[in-house]
């Protein structure tokens, strides 16, 4: 039987001792893998093991912040690349519509996190039924804009919409999926800032 080098790499990763550390936050809800016996005893969450295997096979995961689809389209427009501009918008739309939790439903909570040069803040929106049949609205619930940044106040709530067939489309393409957290029935279905 011929050995695959990828399988050997995974086996080596699993044989390396892992540092035991307390599981906090979301790791408490994650399944924990334990390897016991001999000197290679370790415990780790599934994401920790997955990252170790990925790193061994392909190198460190890319954690560079990705620009939003609109920013990618603007970059292509500056380069006078019409195909790149259209492609950025189309791939952004395809990423939204192919998500397993899509489309938005009434009751969904959508949080957007801004990292502006002037202020770091967030907004939380509620998806609600619209007035027209099959349409939805997105209402601003709250924001964390500091009081000393009044000049940004006009930006707060800019993604609120009434009677829209796809209320997430503007927020997804303009702010970017990496800045969004979407919660459905008390469970996060999209965590854009997670590695």
């Amino acid at each position: 039987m011929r050995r695959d080098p990828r399988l050997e790499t995974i086996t080596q990763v699993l044989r390396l001792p892992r540092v035991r550390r307390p599981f906090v936050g979301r790791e408490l809800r994650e399944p924990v893998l334990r390897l016991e016996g001999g000197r290679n005893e370790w415990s780790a969450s599934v994401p920790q093991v997955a990252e170790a295997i990925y790193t061994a096979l392909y190198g460190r995961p890319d954690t560079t912040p990705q620009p939003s689809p609109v920013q990618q389209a603007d970059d292509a427009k500056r380069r006078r690349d019409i195909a790149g501009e259209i492609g950025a918008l189309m791939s952004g739309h395809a990423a939204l519509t192919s998500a397993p939790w899509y489309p938005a439903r009434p009751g969904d909570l959508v949080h957007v996190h801004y990292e502006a040069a002037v202020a770091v803040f967030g907004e939380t929106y509620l998806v609600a039924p619209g007035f027209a049949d099959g349409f939805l609205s997105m209402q601003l619930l709250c924001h964390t804009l500091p009081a000393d940044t009044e000049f940004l106040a006009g930006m707060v709530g800019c993604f609120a919409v009434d009677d829209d067939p796809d209320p997430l489309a503007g927020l997804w393409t303009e702010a970017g999926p990496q800045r969004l957290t979407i919660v459905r029935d008390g469970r996060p279905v999209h965590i854009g800032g997670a590695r």
Side-chain angles (χ1 to χ4, degrees), residues 133-152:
D133 188 35
F135 283 49
L136 297 170
S137 296
M138 201 160 62
Q139 307 157 357
L140 178 68
L141 285 180
C142 61
H143 67 85
T144 60
L145 182 68
D148 62 346
T149 54
E150 295 89 24
F151 60 93
L152 289 176

Side-chain angles (χ1 to χ4, degrees), residues 153-177:
M155 186 176 153
V156 172
C158 65
F159 291 109
V161 294
D162 290 322
D163 287 331
D164 192 317
D166 194 356
L168 293 177
L171 186 57
W172 184 272
T173 57
E174 289 183 40

Side-chain angles (χ1 to χ4, degrees), residues 20 33-43:
R20 287 184 186 217
L33 300 176
R34 298 190 196 291
L35 182 64
E36 298 176 353
R39 58 184 176 83
N40 292 332
E41 226 172 87
W42 54 266
S43 299

Side-chain angles (χ1 to χ4, degrees), residues 37-116:
R39 58 184 176 83
N40 292 332
E41 226 172 87
W42 54 266
S43 299
S45 69
V46 171
Q48 289 170 329
V49 173
E51 184 175 350
I53 291 171
Y54 184 94
T55 302
L57 288 171
Y58 309 109
R60 283 257 166 236
D62 183 11
T63 58
T64 309
Q66 296 296 313
S68 71
V70 168
Q71 289 170 320
Q72 292 175 25
D74 286 344
D75 291 344
K77 189 176 195 175
R78 277 191 287 282
R79 294 189 311 267
R80 299 181 183 265
D81 177 9
I82 187 74
E85 183 178 355
I86 293 169
L89 295 173
M90 289 180 67
S91 66
H93 180 73
L96 171 62
T97 57
S98 66
W101 46 264
Y102 181 84
R105 296 183 195 159
D108 286 356
L109 293 174
V110 182
H111 180 79
V112 59
H113 175 77
Y114 298 105
E115 294 179 7

